[in-house]
Amino acid sequence: EALKVEVANMTAKNASEADELYVKHLSKKGDITLLMQDFRNVPADQKKEVGMKINELKQMCIARINELKEQTEVQESGDEAIDLTRTAYPIELGSRHPLTIVKNEIIDIFQRMGFTLADGPEVEDDLHVFTKMNFAADHPARDMQDTFFVEQSKLNDVTKNILLRSHTSSVQARVMDASQPPIRVICPGRVFRNEAITARAHCFFHQIEGLYIDKNVSFTDLKQVMLTFAREMFGPETSIRLRPSYFPFTEPSAEMDISCHICGGKGCGFCKHTGWVEILGCGMVDPNVLELCGIDSTKYSGYAFGLGVERITNLKYQVSDLRMFSENYTPFLKEFENAY
Ligand code: PHE
């Protein structure tokens, strides 16, 4: 009984003290071991009771020593002590990037109108980025100032230059090369331009370009689809305005503004008091482009549009500095945690 009390009150400051307790009680010459050896001298009529008590004592002792060992191990590992109250999954959940949220929303809107997705390489050849898009051989966009070149053609054939695509129109060229109308695709992707990084420009950004080619496609179709997109994206009261513009691959071409969704078109600092903000470029696909991509321009017509995901995100969430999207500044990114 005295041993039982002693065992119950055992303490150890460190692992070796716990080991000593083991030697004292359970090793070959330990007192509990000796007690067990003495067991044969116990009168037969007491064997059952005494046996049970000794066994109980031994189990208690083993359990207590194990407990002490665990405790001292935790103490000895210092700051790295195992904290059993810590959650099992301490990894903080990330959130969707604002550009991904807006890109998905744009894709969703166009998919509901029957557009499918198309994809292409970021490292492209001149043929798909410029030549098939009706850029003249001396067009300034081909110039080093705009485009990142990867490899200059050894045969001095500009169409074989390898570059980082400067717009996703290259994907449209690939789709037209590979299929015949009706074609209704959107091409989301990253594009690259050799520009200094400022609040308003970056050397890369994200585009979604769209292409629709079929019999009798007219500017009216383009305008209605763009209006629907603008209203889905910025609210049902949104109106659009098309201004004549120029792109080598569309004729006629237009730039599209939406009525400022902040002031509802009345004029505010956000739209520089004009009531309008520009969101995309569009137009009727130039017949030259159709022919260069193997589509009969006497049978088919089509429209194309291209928008910047950063631009739409800036407007939608009033982000004024483009650089925020690529700086991995988590307080900024966390603001979009509940956006979608
Ligand atoms: N490719 C144009 C750009 O990058 C956008 C655009 C696409 C304009 C299709 C008109 C039609 O600026």
Side-chain angles (χ1 to χ4, degrees):
E1 288 298 333
L3 253 177
K4 209 167 164 181
V5 175
E6 188 185 330
V7 164
N9 291 322
M10 286 190 305
T11 56
K13 284 198 227 37
N14 50 44
S16 72
E17 279 189 23
D19 285 337
E20 272 165 38
L21 289 171
Y22 180 83
V23 173
K24 182 166 179 232
H25 299 299
L26 297 167
S27 70
K28 258 189 176 169
K29 292 207 168 105
D31 45 17
I32 295 177
T33 314
L34 293 177
L35 259 185
M36 293 184 91
Q37 280 163 13
D38 257 343
F39 184 63
R40 54 189 133 92
N41 303 325
V42 173
D45 59 338
Q46 291 174 28
K47 267 205 159 75
K48 193 174 167 202
E49 196 196 338
V50 173
M52 263 166 58
K53 281 196 164 164
I54 295 179
N55 243 330
E56 201 187 328
L57 179 65
K58 187 182 169 188
Q59 295 312 322
M60 213 176 116
C61 187
I62 293 173
R64 181 67 188 144
I65 288 177
N66 283 341
E67 192 179 41
L68 289 171
K69 278 200 114 163
E70 245 172 57
Q71 279 174 10
T72 55
E73 264 162 27
V74 170
Q75 282 160 11
E76 276 159 29
S77 55
D79 288 341
E80 281 147 30
I82 305 160
D83 177 3
L84 297 175
T85 63
R86 218 167 75 173
T87 58
Y89 299 104
I91 302 159
E92 235 188 293
L93 268 187
S95 52
R96 271 212 176 106
H97 193 281
L99 293 178
T100 308
I101 295 171
V102 171
K103 178 189 81 176
N104 288 346
E105 200 178 339
I106 298 169
I107 290 175
D108 195 55
I109 293 169
F110 284 108
Q111 276 185 335
R112 289 202 300 268
M113 290 194 269
F115 287 81
T116 55
L117 287 177
D119 203 2
E122 290 179 356
V123 180
E124 257 292 7
D125 52 20
D126 176 288
L127 186 66
H128 293 90
V129 178
F130 295 130
T131 305
K132 281 178 183 272
M133 283 294 132
N134 201 31
F135 282 78
D138 56 355
H139 192 283
R142 272 197 158 108
D143 202 284
M144 292 281 183
Q145 280 161 12
D146 277 310
T147 311
F148 287 114
F149 286 85
V150 176
E151 215 177 276
Q152 197 124 28
S153 158
K154 292 193 183 63
L155 301 166
N156 242 352
D157 175 358
V158 287
T159 69
K160 297 220 163 60
N161 286 343
I162 306 296
L163 39 94
L164 297 182
R165 66 181 178 197
S166 54
H167 56 181
T168 50
S169 301
S170 54
V171 184
Q172 303 186 9
R174 286 187 176 275
V175 171
M176 286 187 273
D177 271 349
S179 49
Q180 284 296 312
I183 291 172
R184 185 154 43 182
V185 290
I186 47 171
C187 322
R190 182 174 287 182
V191 300
F192 307 84
R193 288 183 196 178
N194 192 0
E195 295 202 33
I197 298 169
T198 66
R200 304 178 55 86
H202 210 294
C203 59
F204 68 80
F205 60 99
H206 300 81
Q207 273 192 332
I208 298 186
E209 294 211 358
L211 175 71
Y212 178 39
I213 304 172
D214 206 343
K215 290 189 175 125
N216 301 318
V217 178
S218 75
F219 202 91
T220 327
D221 301 312
L222 170 63
K223 195 175 166 189
Q224 188 58 40
V225 166
M226 292 300 102
L227 177 64
T228 305
F229 164 70
R231 290 190 168 162
E232 289 287 313
M233 195 73 212
F234 292 99
E237 27 349 280
T238 309
S239 30
I240 62 169
R241 178 172 87 168
L242 291 160
R243 282 177 290 106
S245 184
Y246 173 80
F247 299 105
F249 33 89
T250 46
E251 184 59 37
S253 306
E255 247 145 343
M256 187 174 106
D257 301 337
I258 55 166
S259 54
C260 178
H261 59 293
I262 306 291
C263 61
K266 288 187 198 72
C268 67
F270 189 73
C271 56
K272 302 201 182 71
H273 304 284
T274 63
W276 298 96
V277 281
E278 185 191 320
I279 65 161
L280 57 82
C282 58
M284 300 307 291
V285 181
D286 193 302
N288 283 345
V289 172
L290 295 177
E291 294 297 334
L292 285 164
C293 295
I295 290 172
D296 186 347
S297 65
T298 62
K299 258 167 88 180
Y300 298 108
S301 57
Y303 63 73
F305 55 88
L307 54 85
V309 181
E310 276 82 350
R311 174 100 187 116
I312 304 284
T313 312
N314 283 349
L315 294 175
K316 182 132 183 159
Y317 293 106
Q318 297 175 53
V319 181
S320 55
D321 191 332
L322 257 186
R323 290 167 293 195
M324 295 301 274
F325 294 128
S326 47
E327 263 164 24
N328 287 331
Y329 179 58
T330 47
F332 168 73
L333 297 174
K334 276 206 175 290
E335 288 188 51
F336 296 86
E337 226 165 14
N338 301 314
Y340 229 52

